[in-house]
Amino acid sequence: MSGFVLFRYLPLQKRIKAVEQTRAAQRLAIAKGIADSKRLPLLKGQLLKLQRELRKYEANIPERRALGTFLRRIADLMNEHNLREQVIAPGEEIKAGGLNCIPVNMLCKGKLTQIFEFYRRLQESDRLVRIEQVKLVNDSDFGGEVSMETRAVIYYRAKVGQG
């Protein structure tokens, strides 16, 4: 009888426990898979939304430099909002991977509401503009005039074989 217990019963019990553990792990994996599959439509929706945003983002990075057109657009926006003492100065171009960056320094004076409206319209531009630094200083007699100094960066895509 002890031989039966030792050589037959105990090994079978170990195998039964191992099978039960394996089945429990499989049930857990199946439950996790079912829960994850319920999240799949939500994740797919998020992916589609991100892809649309990426296409819009890429559309705002032109393939051509078109710096003159952009600088003219900035000057037109400043004029449109009656900003005075305008200075728009591009910096030295920076090449990074598939994108080229052009820093642009902008200075002008005007009422704070005019400057904010200028920024709002700049944001609506069809070209990606990253504002890196803004400095607003009240005039010395506190007459409502503000001097604005901004450092922005514009981008364009490098053509194949270009920096």
Side-chain angles (χ1 to χ4, degrees):
M1 185 66 152
S2 63
F4 172 76
V5 170
L6 188 60
F7 294 112
R8 194 79 171 130
Y9 180 74
L10 291 178
L12 283 175
Q13 284 298 349
K14 287 182 182 178
R15 285 179 57 195
I16 289 172
K17 282 185 180 182
V19 168
E20 287 174 353
Q21 287 176 346
T22 302
R23 290 177 95 190
Q26 287 174 344
R27 280 193 294 268
L28 183 63
I30 290 170
K32 185 178 181 320
I34 290 170
D36 287 348
S37 70
K38 290 179 182 176
R39 289 186 37 207
L40 194 57
L42 175 66
L43 293 174
K44 188 174 183 178
Q46 288 175 346
L47 176 63
L48 291 173
K49 181 181 174 187
L50 288 172
Q51 286 173 335
R52 281 192 303 268
E53 288 179 19
L54 180 62
R55 280 193 296 274
K56 187 169 66 172
Y57 173 80
E58 287 178 345
N60 288 342
I61 301 176
E63 292 183 5
R64 295 184 336 267
R65 189 168 188 241
L67 180 61
T69 305
F70 175 76
L71 297 178
R72 189 171 28 260
R73 177 74 179 131
I74 294 296
D76 290 344
L77 281 175
M78 286 181 171
N79 289 333
E80 187 178 314
H81 298 303
N82 300 316
L83 299 173
R84 299 176 324 285
E85 299 181 30
Q86 302 171 12
V87 176
I88 305 166
E92 191 168 325
E93 188 172 314
I94 302 165
K95 297 179 181 190
L99 286 180
N100 293 340
C101 312
I102 304 171
V104 178
N105 293 313
M106 299 178 275
L107 293 96
C108 64
K109 287 186 178 183
K111 302 276 186 200
L112 193 57
T113 55
Q114 295 168 316
I115 292 173
F116 279 126
E117 188 62 22
F118 164 76
Y119 281 123
R120 187 185 67 75
R121 293 286 306 278
L122 184 61
Q123 183 180 1
E124 293 172 354
S125 172
D126 61 350
R127 184 166 189 160
L128 181 67
V129 178
R130 185 180 81 206
I131 304 294
E132 289 190 336
Q133 182 180 11
V134 174
K135 182 178 177 182
L136 299 171
V137 179
N138 277 328
D139 61 348
S140 57
D141 63 352
F142 299 102
E145 290 288 310
V146 177
S147 295
M148 181 267 299
E149 184 177 335
T150 298
R151 179 177 165 85
V153 177
I154 62 170
Y155 300 90
Y156 71 95
R157 283 182 250 169
K159 295 178 183 165
V160 178
Q162 186 180 357

